[in-house]
Amino acid sequence: GLGAATSGGTYTQVSGTDLVGILGNCAYNVTTGNCRAYCEAGVSDYDASVIFSTPGTQMYLMVRFIDAGNFIRVGNPSLGGPLAIQVITAGAITLSLAISGVVVAGDLVQVRCAGDMLQVRHNGMVVYTLHNAQGLTATRVGIQMSGASQSKIDSLVVAPI
């Protein structure tokens, strides 16, 4: 499992079989399935960030996480692909946009959630701003990885704004 966050909070696995684990101080997808875990931020306006240590088949930072079928994610939908933002509503991708260059090892991805605004930074540069009302009061933040090529994510940080 993932253990506890430095804040003392715990992570919740979304699936009982497709798990996120820890290997070499990084979170990774234990199976090739849809491995997701989240933590409680306690606020709905926050800055969230991750380092994509080892890009795999698919890997995302999930924000405004309501449940397994309703959230917004930023990451790479395919190995060697561009950074993208996707809105998931009722289990379906309702918006998917490539917003920055190819994701490579060590990339820092940050998302600021403030009201209906989501501002995405890729390695410190603002690359996209989305206004979307989904999950305005959601306080969960997480990570998602899947596919045959293992992903590793480091340093999930969430700070209230």
Side-chain angles (χ1 to χ4, degrees):
L2 289 172
T6 56
S7 65
T10 58
Y11 291 93
T12 301
Q13 301 278 358
V14 175
S15 166
T17 55
D18 294 319
L19 303 175
V20 176
I22 297 292
L23 180 65
N25 292 323
C26 292
Y28 77 104
N29 51 308
V30 175
T31 69
T32 60
N34 192 2
C35 304
R36 296 178 287 182
Y38 65 86
C39 62
E40 178 61 52
V43 295
S44 57
D45 288 347
Y46 52 80
D47 287 326
S49 64
V50 292
I51 296 172
F52 289 153
S53 297
T54 305
T57 306
Q58 292 185 345
M59 60 195 308
Y60 299 96
L61 169 62
M62 299 186 302
V63 297
R64 294 197 177 155
F65 187 89
I66 299 166
D67 57 34
N70 297 281
F71 55 93
I72 298 172
R73 64 187 182 188
V74 176
N76 69 315
S78 62
L79 185 60
L83 187 69
I85 188 167
Q86 296 180 333
V87 176
I88 313 300
T89 307
I93 298 172
T94 57
L95 174 73
S96 183
L97 297 169
I99 57 174
S100 189
V102 172
V103 175
V104 298
D107 277 4
L108 173 66
V109 174
Q110 301 162 289
V111 179
R112 170 167 278 198
C113 296
D116 78 339
M117 184 207 61
L118 291 93
Q119 183 184 72
V120 180
R121 292 178 180 262
H122 189 187
N123 293 322
M125 296 186 61
V126 175
V127 294
Y128 195 75
T129 300
L130 173 70
H131 290 274
N132 188 291
Q134 180 168 302
L136 285 178
T137 61
T139 58
R140 298 173 178 167
V141 179
I143 53 177
Q144 176 181 7
M145 296 165 279
S146 63
S149 180
Q150 188 178 79
S151 301
K152 289 186 181 175
I153 294 177
D154 195 9
S155 303
L156 171 61
V157 176
V158 182
I161 54 171

